[in-house]
Amino acid sequence: MQFNKQLEKIKTYEPGLPIEEVVREFGIDPSDIIKLASNENPFGCSPKASEAVAQSAHLMYRYPDDTMGELKGKLAQKFGVGTQNLIIGSGSDQIIEFLIHAKAETKILINEITFAMYAIYAATKGVEVIRTRGMEHDLEQFYELYKSENPDVIFLCTPNNPTGDALRRDEVYRFLEKIDSDTMVVLDGAYQEYTAFKDGDYAIDAKDITKRFPNVIYLGTFSKAYGLGGMRVGYGVASEEIIGALYKLRPPFNVTTLSLVAASAALEDEKFVTDAIEKNFEYMKEYETFAKEHDGIEYVESYTNFITYLFEKSDSSEIAQKLLKQGIIVRDLKGYNLNAIRTTIGTREQNQRFLNALENLLGS
Ligand SMILES: *Cc1c(COP(=O)(O)O)cnc(C)c1O
């Protein structure tokens, strides 16, 4: 069958291996498998969220409240914006899809190494993807390419996935001031809760953004710090003009009843999130120390819940494969042209198991 020509150029997105797949393939007991590949919260989600879902389970016969009034109200309060400045999606992935369809016609501009979905959605529209050179965002390169290529949409992923580095807020604002009002800029803040905790100078303020830059959209998600990856809830904060355009593309009932309930309840338990983030950065130090003590491992300073190890002597795919056979799932970054692995900071036991296994692999 002949499909839409655009599809020929698209490689199917490969998410982190699910535990179920590792059980099937390697015959490892599910309780012996640890998944540090998808940047999920290793402490799960707030018990308030799971209790709220259990209590609302009988509502699943009904279509969701499509105004999403309760969750929007809480997000509006959290960010200090109006509900008309918000759109909620089935993960922030879905908002990325909407905004590519709403604005990208010829070109988008992204970092050389960054979240894969920007380029995938662009490809579905036959939109050209312009990339900077280098691992970390270099705003001077972004500006030069913006001038010479005139992209419709610019994506800044801060902190960046899969490297973990972030941009300073004042640098981002200085960049935004130089971009014309007809170019959309997307600030993907999937890990901003971690960043804000680590260093306020790197935190992006969605309210500032909406007030000062009508051409900019901020994206957030409940999948990472809030521990609700399985519920698929993300959001965009922007001017009414942008939100209005995205709403034209939104399918009705795009977020399920139970997902809305979970996200609303999760916002009532900020302590759960803060505790998880605190432990995240405490445990991350062990990963940093490990890298410093081992020749041939470099790491990028991370503002997220994962850390990326760059290997000078070993092959990242081999390491990832050998870890997998021991039931440890991490993300090999060969597909991004990096000889590196990205590991989610897990619980204390998970981190110990990963670091011990890696130690043994490096020694052999
Ligand atoms: C995880 C992630 C997202 C999207 O997550 P959803 O689960 O779709 O909300 C978006 N951007 C980046 C950089 C991410 O890492």
mmCIF file of all heavy atoms in Angstrom, residues 4 93-105 108 120-127 153 155 184 245-246 248-250:
data_model
loop_
_atom_site.group_PDB
_atom_site.id
_atom_site.type_symbol
_atom_site.label_atom_id
_atom_site.label_comp_id
_atom_site.label_asym_id
_atom_site.label_seq_id
_atom_site.Cartn_x
_atom_site.Cartn_y
_atom_site.Cartn_z
ATOM 1 N N ASN A 4 1.046 7.984 2.809
ATOM 2 C CA ASN A 4 1.473 9.364 2.741
ATOM 3 C C ASN A 4 3.006 9.430 2.622
ATOM 4 O O ASN A 4 3.712 8.824 3.422
ATOM 5 C CB ASN A 4 1.021 9.994 4.067
ATOM 6 C CG ASN A 4 0.880 11.468 3.957
ATOM 7 O OD1 ASN A 4 1.642 12.097 3.225
ATOM 8 N ND2 ASN A 4 -0.084 12.013 4.662
ATOM 9 N N ASP A 93 3.430 15.788 24.902
ATOM 10 C CA ASP A 93 3.601 15.311 23.530
ATOM 11 C C ASP A 93 2.468 15.761 22.610
ATOM 12 O O ASP A 93 2.694 16.133 21.471
ATOM 13 C CB ASP A 93 3.566 13.768 23.550
ATOM 14 C CG ASP A 93 4.950 13.199 23.350
ATOM 15 O OD1 ASP A 93 5.766 13.871 22.707
ATOM 16 O OD2 ASP A 93 5.199 12.085 23.836
ATOM 17 N N GLN A 94 1.258 15.645 23.124
ATOM 18 C CA GLN A 94 0.119 16.002 22.270
ATOM 19 C C GLN A 94 0.093 17.504 21.981
ATOM 20 O O GLN A 94 -0.295 17.910 20.892
ATOM 21 C CB GLN A 94 -1.201 15.559 22.922
ATOM 22 C CG GLN A 94 -2.354 15.664 21.944
ATOM 23 C CD GLN A 94 -3.683 15.228 22.539
ATOM 24 O OE1 GLN A 94 -3.976 15.478 23.704
ATOM 25 N NE2 GLN A 94 -4.498 14.571 21.726
ATOM 26 N N ILE A 95 0.557 18.301 22.940
ATOM 27 C CA ILE A 95 0.610 19.752 22.694
ATOM 28 C C ILE A 95 1.667 20.040 21.620
ATOM 29 O O ILE A 95 1.489 20.918 20.778
ATOM 30 C CB ILE A 95 0.945 20.533 23.987
ATOM 31 C CG1 ILE A 95 0.136 20.026 25.189
ATOM 32 C CG2 ILE A 95 0.758 22.024 23.774
ATOM 33 C CD1 ILE A 95 -1.270 20.469 25.284
ATOM 34 N N ILE A 96 2.768 19.289 21.662
ATOM 35 C CA ILE A 96 3.806 19.464 20.625
ATOM 36 C C ILE A 96 3.201 19.160 19.249
ATOM 37 O O ILE A 96 3.400 19.892 18.284
ATOM 38 C CB ILE A 96 5.024 18.544 20.902
ATOM 39 C CG1 ILE A 96 5.703 18.938 22.227
ATOM 40 C CG2 ILE A 96 6.025 18.606 19.745
ATOM 41 C CD1 ILE A 96 6.742 17.947 22.736
ATOM 42 N N GLU A 97 2.416 18.098 19.188
ATOM 43 C CA GLU A 97 1.759 17.751 17.925
ATOM 44 C C GLU A 97 0.845 18.894 17.461
ATOM 45 O O GLU A 97 0.900 19.326 16.313
ATOM 46 C CB GLU A 97 0.955 16.465 18.111
ATOM 47 C CG GLU A 97 0.292 15.997 16.832
ATOM 48 C CD GLU A 97 -0.569 14.756 17.039
ATOM 49 O OE1 GLU A 97 -0.802 14.352 18.200
ATOM 50 O OE2 GLU A 97 -1.017 14.199 16.025
ATOM 51 N N PHE A 98 0.029 19.419 18.382
ATOM 52 C CA PHE A 98 -0.876 20.521 18.023
ATOM 53 C C PHE A 98 -0.094 21.714 17.488
ATOM 54 O O PHE A 98 -0.467 22.330 16.492
ATOM 55 C CB PHE A 98 -1.684 21.017 19.233
ATOM 56 C CG PHE A 98 -2.658 20.029 19.822
ATOM 57 C CD1 PHE A 98 -3.143 20.232 21.112
ATOM 58 C CD2 PHE A 98 -3.103 18.925 19.103
ATOM 59 C CE1 PHE A 98 -4.050 19.342 21.679
ATOM 60 C CE2 PHE A 98 -4.011 18.033 19.662
ATOM 61 C CZ PHE A 98 -4.482 18.239 20.955
ATOM 62 N N LEU A 99 0.986 22.065 18.176
ATOM 63 C CA LEU A 99 1.614 23.319 17.783
ATOM 64 C C LEU A 99 2.407 23.192 16.482
ATOM 65 O O LEU A 99 2.513 24.158 15.726
ATOM 66 C CB LEU A 99 2.417 23.943 18.929
ATOM 67 C CG LEU A 99 3.541 23.196 19.587
ATOM 68 C CD1 LEU A 99 4.826 23.503 18.870
ATOM 69 C CD2 LEU A 99 3.624 23.620 21.033
ATOM 70 N N ILE A 100 2.900 21.993 16.206
ATOM 71 C CA ILE A 100 3.527 21.785 14.893
ATOM 72 C C ILE A 100 2.456 21.969 13.804
ATOM 73 O O ILE A 100 2.673 22.649 12.799
ATOM 74 C CB ILE A 100 4.147 20.365 14.793
ATOM 75 C CG1 ILE A 100 5.376 20.255 15.697
ATOM 76 C CG2 ILE A 100 4.468 20.008 13.351
ATOM 77 C CD1 ILE A 100 6.660 20.792 15.128
ATOM 78 N N HIS A 101 1.284 21.385 14.024
ATOM 79 C CA HIS A 101 0.219 21.511 13.031
ATOM 80 C C HIS A 101 -0.303 22.936 12.932
ATOM 81 O O HIS A 101 -0.712 23.385 11.874
ATOM 82 C CB HIS A 101 -0.916 20.530 13.330
ATOM 83 C CG HIS A 101 -0.576 19.136 12.907
ATOM 84 N ND1 HIS A 101 -0.891 18.625 11.668
ATOM 85 C CD2 HIS A 101 0.110 18.163 13.543
ATOM 86 C CE1 HIS A 101 -0.412 17.393 11.568
ATOM 87 N NE2 HIS A 101 0.199 17.086 12.699
ATOM 88 N N ALA A 102 -0.277 23.645 14.036
ATOM 89 C CA ALA A 102 -0.816 25.008 14.032
ATOM 90 C C ALA A 102 0.137 26.003 13.378
ATOM 91 O O ALA A 102 -0.297 26.984 12.781
ATOM 92 C CB ALA A 102 -1.107 25.458 15.470
ATOM 93 N N LYS A 103 1.440 25.758 13.465
ATOM 94 C CA LYS A 103 2.366 26.826 13.086
ATOM 95 C C LYS A 103 3.462 26.437 12.089
ATOM 96 O O LYS A 103 3.931 27.280 11.333
ATOM 97 C CB LYS A 103 2.998 27.386 14.387
ATOM 98 C CG LYS A 103 3.938 28.535 14.216
ATOM 99 C CD LYS A 103 3.284 29.764 13.578
ATOM 100 C CE LYS A 103 4.301 30.881 13.345
ATOM 101 N NZ LYS A 103 3.815 31.893 12.382
ATOM 102 N N ALA A 104 3.892 25.172 12.088
ATOM 103 C CA ALA A 104 5.036 24.822 11.236
ATOM 104 C C ALA A 104 4.596 24.582 9.798
ATOM 105 O O ALA A 104 3.738 23.735 9.542
ATOM 106 C CB ALA A 104 5.724 23.578 11.794
ATOM 107 N N GLU A 105 5.157 25.356 8.888
ATOM 108 C CA GLU A 105 4.825 25.152 7.482
ATOM 109 C C GLU A 105 6.037 24.746 6.658
ATOM 110 O O GLU A 105 5.972 23.873 5.824
ATOM 111 C CB GLU A 105 4.210 26.422 6.900
ATOM 112 C CG GLU A 105 2.705 26.332 6.870
ATOM 113 C CD GLU A 105 2.049 27.590 6.360
ATOM 114 O OE1 GLU A 105 2.585 28.701 6.605
ATOM 115 O OE2 GLU A 105 1.011 27.459 5.710
ATOM 116 N N ILE A 108 11.406 24.031 11.093
ATOM 117 C CA ILE A 108 11.535 24.254 12.532
ATOM 118 C C ILE A 108 13.022 24.231 12.874
ATOM 119 O O ILE A 108 13.824 23.659 12.130
ATOM 120 C CB ILE A 108 10.779 23.210 13.393
ATOM 121 C CG1 ILE A 108 11.375 21.799 13.223
ATOM 122 C CG2 ILE A 108 9.292 23.209 13.089
ATOM 123 C CD1 ILE A 108 10.973 20.827 14.325
ATOM 124 N N ILE A 120 9.999 14.338 14.753
ATOM 125 C CA ILE A 120 9.047 13.343 14.235
ATOM 126 C C ILE A 120 7.742 14.021 13.799
ATOM 127 O O ILE A 120 7.252 13.803 12.695
ATOM 128 C CB ILE A 120 8.775 12.235 15.286
ATOM 129 C CG1 ILE A 120 10.062 11.396 15.468
ATOM 130 C CG2 ILE A 120 7.613 11.345 14.871
ATOM 131 C CD1 ILE A 120 9.973 10.301 16.520
ATOM 132 N N TYR A 121 7.212 14.888 14.664
ATOM 133 C CA TYR A 121 5.969 15.582 14.268
ATOM 134 C C TYR A 121 6.204 16.495 13.069
ATOM 135 O O TYR A 121 5.351 16.622 12.190
ATOM 136 C CB TYR A 121 5.379 16.376 15.441
ATOM 137 C CG TYR A 121 4.728 15.502 16.486
ATOM 138 C CD1 TYR A 121 5.076 15.606 17.821
ATOM 139 C CD2 TYR A 121 3.751 14.571 16.131
ATOM 140 C CE1 TYR A 121 4.477 14.806 18.790
ATOM 141 C CE2 TYR A 121 3.152 13.763 17.092
ATOM 142 C CZ TYR A 121 3.521 13.885 18.416
ATOM 143 O OH TYR A 121 2.930 13.092 19.372
ATOM 144 N N ALA A 122 7.377 17.132 13.025
ATOM 145 C CA ALA A 122 7.675 17.999 11.880
ATOM 146 C C ALA A 122 7.678 17.174 10.599
ATOM 147 O O ALA A 122 7.117 17.585 9.576
ATOM 148 C CB ALA A 122 9.022 18.696 12.080
ATOM 149 N N ALA A 123 8.275 15.973 10.680
ATOM 150 C CA ALA A 123 8.364 15.126 9.489
ATOM 151 C C ALA A 123 6.974 14.721 8.984
ATOM 152 O O ALA A 123 6.749 14.611 7.782
ATOM 153 C CB ALA A 123 9.211 13.893 9.798
ATOM 154 N N THR A 124 6.028 14.532 9.889
ATOM 155 C CA THR A 124 4.678 14.140 9.441
ATOM 156 C C THR A 124 4.051 15.229 8.581
ATOM 157 O O THR A 124 3.144 14.972 7.806
ATOM 158 C CB THR A 124 3.708 13.869 10.618
ATOM 159 O OG1 THR A 124 3.530 15.086 11.348
ATOM 160 C CG2 THR A 124 4.227 12.791 11.538
ATOM 161 N N LYS A 125 4.535 16.448 8.722
ATOM 162 C CA LYS A 125 3.997 17.559 7.916
ATOM 163 C C LYS A 125 4.922 17.903 6.744
ATOM 164 O O LYS A 125 4.687 18.869 6.036
ATOM 165 C CB LYS A 125 3.858 18.815 8.802
ATOM 166 C CG LYS A 125 2.830 18.685 9.898
ATOM 167 C CD LYS A 125 1.601 19.556 9.677
ATOM 168 C CE LYS A 125 1.890 20.932 9.111
ATOM 169 N NZ LYS A 125 0.713 21.685 8.766
ATOM 170 N N GLY A 126 6.006 17.147 6.579
ATOM 171 C CA GLY A 126 6.955 17.469 5.519
ATOM 172 C C GLY A 126 7.722 18.744 5.809
ATOM 173 O O GLY A 126 8.217 19.412 4.905
ATOM 174 N N VAL A 127 7.815 19.101 7.078
ATOM 175 C CA VAL A 127 8.503 20.328 7.481
ATOM 176 C C VAL A 127 9.984 20.027 7.696
ATOM 177 O O VAL A 127 10.338 19.007 8.299
ATOM 178 C CB VAL A 127 7.860 20.873 8.780
ATOM 179 C CG1 VAL A 127 8.737 21.913 9.451
ATOM 180 C CG2 VAL A 127 6.481 21.442 8.474
ATOM 181 N N VAL A 153 8.957 27.711 13.779
ATOM 182 C CA VAL A 153 8.935 27.363 15.213
ATOM 183 C C VAL A 153 10.357 27.065 15.686
ATOM 184 O O VAL A 153 11.111 26.380 14.987
ATOM 185 C CB VAL A 153 8.060 26.107 15.488
ATOM 186 C CG1 VAL A 153 7.930 25.856 16.991
ATOM 187 C CG2 VAL A 153 6.685 26.230 14.852
ATOM 188 N N PHE A 155 12.379 25.389 18.981
ATOM 189 C CA PHE A 155 12.210 24.634 20.219
ATOM 190 C C PHE A 155 13.432 24.802 21.112
ATOM 191 O O PHE A 155 14.556 24.526 20.689
ATOM 192 C CB PHE A 155 12.060 23.137 19.924
ATOM 193 C CG PHE A 155 10.711 22.751 19.393
ATOM 194 C CD1 PHE A 155 10.465 22.775 18.026
ATOM 195 C CD2 PHE A 155 9.699 22.372 20.250
ATOM 196 C CE1 PHE A 155 9.209 22.411 17.527
ATOM 197 C CE2 PHE A 155 8.451 22.005 19.768
ATOM 198 C CZ PHE A 155 8.202 22.027 18.400
ATOM 199 N N MET A 184 7.129 31.327 16.378
ATOM 200 C CA MET A 184 6.750 30.728 17.654
ATOM 201 C C MET A 184 7.982 30.117 18.332
ATOM 202 O O MET A 184 8.792 29.464 17.684
ATOM 203 C CB MET A 184 5.701 29.638 17.437
ATOM 204 C CG MET A 184 5.215 29.017 18.738
ATOM 205 S SD MET A 184 4.140 27.591 18.487
ATOM 206 C CE MET A 184 2.603 28.379 18.100
ATOM 207 N N ALA A 245 -5.493 29.011 18.861
ATOM 208 C CA ALA A 245 -5.116 28.275 17.638
ATOM 209 C C ALA A 245 -4.985 26.784 17.940
ATOM 210 O O ALA A 245 -5.455 25.936 17.178
ATOM 211 C CB ALA A 245 -3.808 28.834 17.086
ATOM 212 N N LEU A 246 -4.361 26.453 19.063
ATOM 213 C CA LEU A 246 -4.165 25.037 19.397
ATOM 214 C C LEU A 246 -5.506 24.343 19.664
ATOM 215 O O LEU A 246 -5.701 23.175 19.339
ATOM 216 C CB LEU A 246 -3.239 24.887 20.624
ATOM 217 C CG LEU A 246 -1.832 25.486 20.510
ATOM 218 C CD1 LEU A 246 -1.011 25.153 21.755
ATOM 219 C CD2 LEU A 246 -1.106 25.004 19.257
ATOM 220 N N LYS A 248 -8.207 24.706 18.181
ATOM 221 C CA LYS A 248 -8.866 24.285 16.941
ATOM 222 C C LYS A 248 -8.441 22.877 16.536
ATOM 223 O O LYS A 248 -9.146 22.198 15.802
ATOM 224 C CB LYS A 248 -8.519 25.258 15.801
ATOM 225 C CG LYS A 248 -9.086 26.639 16.023
ATOM 226 C CD LYS A 248 -8.819 27.531 14.833
ATOM 227 C CE LYS A 248 -9.368 28.918 15.130
ATOM 228 N NZ LYS A 248 -9.069 29.877 14.072
ATOM 229 N N LEU A 249 -7.284 22.455 17.000
ATOM 230 C CA LEU A 249 -6.751 21.146 16.608
ATOM 231 C C LEU A 249 -7.009 20.067 17.648
ATOM 232 O O LEU A 249 -6.743 18.898 17.424
ATOM 233 C CB LEU A 249 -5.233 21.270 16.393
ATOM 234 C CG LEU A 249 -4.843 22.153 15.220
ATOM 235 C CD1 LEU A 249 -3.426 22.673 15.403
ATOM 236 C CD2 LEU A 249 -4.982 21.397 13.909
ATOM 237 N N ARG A 250 -7.512 20.468 18.800
ATOM 238 C CA ARG A 250 -7.686 19.521 19.906
ATOM 239 C C ARG A 250 -8.896 18.625 19.680
ATOM 240 O O ARG A 250 -9.994 19.118 19.473
ATOM 241 C CB ARG A 250 -7.870 20.292 21.219
ATOM 242 C CG ARG A 250 -7.908 19.431 22.466
ATOM 243 C CD ARG A 250 -8.348 20.267 23.673
ATOM 244 N NE ARG A 250 -9.775 20.620 23.555
ATOM 245 C CZ ARG A 250 -10.754 19.965 24.157
ATOM 246 N NH1 ARG A 250 -10.502 18.932 24.939
ATOM 247 N NH2 ARG A 250 -12.014 20.341 23.989
#
